[in-house]
Amino acid sequence: MLSLLVSFGIVTLVSAQGAIPCGTPSVQPITTRIVGGVESAPNSWPYVVLVVDDLGYIAGSATIMNEHVLVTSAQHFEGPGYSIFDVDITHWRVYAGEHNIRIKDPNEHYYHISRVILHPAYNYTSLENDIALIITKETMELNDHVRFVCLPDSSHQYTVGQTCYLPGWGSTVASGNEEVLNQVDLPILSDDICQRHWPDFLPATEVCAGYENGTKDFCADDIGSPLLCKDQNGQWYIQGIASSGGNCKLHDEPGVFEDVSQYSDWVKKTMKDANYPYHP
């Protein structure tokens, strides 16, 4: 697990740019076919934030829904032996505009967590409904380096074979620079492939993506990272949230992602109830 060099000083920012369309980066991501992961182009995934726990260690990633709300994996905050009631979230931080964790990036700002809302049916044993919303204390500034992603609804589906991308700060298993935001291209797989590997795979609420041939995978510090898929309109949607998978050192099994399209109604209602409604 990597630690983060922390920059001190609270920054409260208000966006002065007005409405920014969801899922539209100012820097185009690298989308050429690659072997293993590759360092992402800075600012090409402006929706992805680094989640750091109260000890300064990387917990994983989250994705920006609006100036106060992020979506991520519920297992960051509740699992075997720990509960959301035991986690002191006031000392956790989320870093937006981040790229290299070892330096203070020019567009980087951190924000404190005000509260975390777990899906009411989340089961940490089976990882069913492994989704949560983070509410930030300060307002995140939206700009060329920090933007919100598009939220798919239940009719917004992707086809088997389509290539999507997972950006994250997780381990590269000595195959690259772990101090920067890396990305990996992952094809959507048929449900039966994940069911062969994972008997507890839930096709109604989970997405199967990745490889079986030992080429690419995500690691533990990538939990909560988004599976981002580009729509025909050119906008990027968060189709999945990294939840579970195999041994990333072997990377011979596909990954399991929460299917965000099946949770869009819950996300929208929860954001509205928190007084931070989603506006695409």
Side-chain angles (χ1 to χ4, degrees), residues 219-242:
C219 288
D221 287 347
D222 292 312
I223 295 298
S225 294
L227 182 67
L228 296 167
C229 305
K230 192 175 185 179
D231 200 62
Q232 293 180 349
N233 62 12
Q235 292 174 287
W236 289 89
Y237 284 74
I238 177 172
Q239 186 66 26
I241 296 173

Side-chain angles (χ1 to χ4, degrees), residues 137-246:
K137 180 178 179 181
E138 302 89 10
T139 302
M140 289 182 287
E141 179 185 11
L142 300 182
N143 50 45
D144 286 347
H145 322 289
V146 181
R147 296 189 175 185
F148 61 95
V149 76
C150 294
L151 177 67
D153 60 27
S154 59
S155 65
H156 200 271
Q157 299 296 318
Y158 289 87
T159 58
V160 171
Q162 179 176 354
T163 299
C164 300
Y165 295 84
L166 181 140
W169 286 272
S171 173
T172 63
V173 197
S175 64
N177 184 356
E178 297 185 0
E179 297 179 355
V180 298
L181 179 64
N182 287 283
Q183 66 177 65
V184 62
D185 55 299
L186 300 172
I188 302 292
L189 302 178
S190 63
D191 292 339
D192 66 290
I193 291 179
C194 269
Q195 287 176 315
R196 288 202 304 268
H197 287 268
W198 318 113
D200 57 352
F201 176 76
L202 303 169
T205 57
E206 294 176 339
V207 175
C208 185
Y211 303 87
E212 296 181 282
N213 57 4
T215 55
K216 309 170 188 180
D217 201 354
F218 65 83
C219 288
D221 287 347
D222 292 312
I223 295 298
S225 294
L227 182 67
L228 296 167
C229 305
K230 192 175 185 179
D231 200 62
Q232 293 180 349
N233 62 12
Q235 292 174 287
W236 289 89
Y237 284 74
I238 177 172
Q239 186 66 26
I241 296 173
S243 179
S244 62

Side-chain angles (χ1 to χ4, degrees), residues 4-5 8 11 14 21 29 43 50 55 69 76 95 114 125 134-135 142 145 169 191 194 202 234 239 246 257-258 280:
L4 179 75
L5 292 185
F8 294 94
V11 180
V14 178
N43 305 316
L50 180 68
L55 297 177
V69 182
H76 289 319
Y95 286 74
S114 172
T125 300
I134 293 173
I135 311 297
L142 300 182
H145 322 289
W169 286 272
D191 292 339
C194 269
L202 303 169
Q239 186 66 26
F257 300 80
E258 292 302 305

Side-chain angles (χ1 to χ4, degrees), residues 41-110:
N43 305 316
S44 61
W45 303 112
Y47 341 102
V48 184
V49 305
L50 180 68
V51 181
V52 177
D53 67 17
D54 54 343
L55 297 177
Y57 289 99
I58 295 175
S61 301
T63 309
I64 300 172
M65 305 308 299
N66 69 13
E67 295 94 327
H68 272 281
V69 182
L70 311 167
V71 64
T72 189
S73 166
Q75 61 184 286
H76 289 319
F77 309 102
E78 188 160 304
Y82 63 98
S83 164
I84 184 64
F85 302 106
D86 304 322
V87 177
D88 186 1
I89 60 171
T90 61
H91 291 94
W92 286 50
R93 296 178 181 179
V94 295
Y95 286 74
E98 178 71 88
H99 183 73
N100 189 323
I101 65 172
R102 290 296 179 185
I103 64 174
K104 176 72 165 62
D105 290 310
N107 306 304
E108 167 196 328
H109 295 288
Y110 73 77

Side-chain angles (χ1 to χ4, degrees), residues 122-135:
Y122 167 57
N123 184 317
Y124 65 73
T125 300
S126 66
L127 293 181
E128 187 174 4
N129 305 306
D130 182 19
I131 185 172
L133 296 185
I134 293 173
I135 311 297

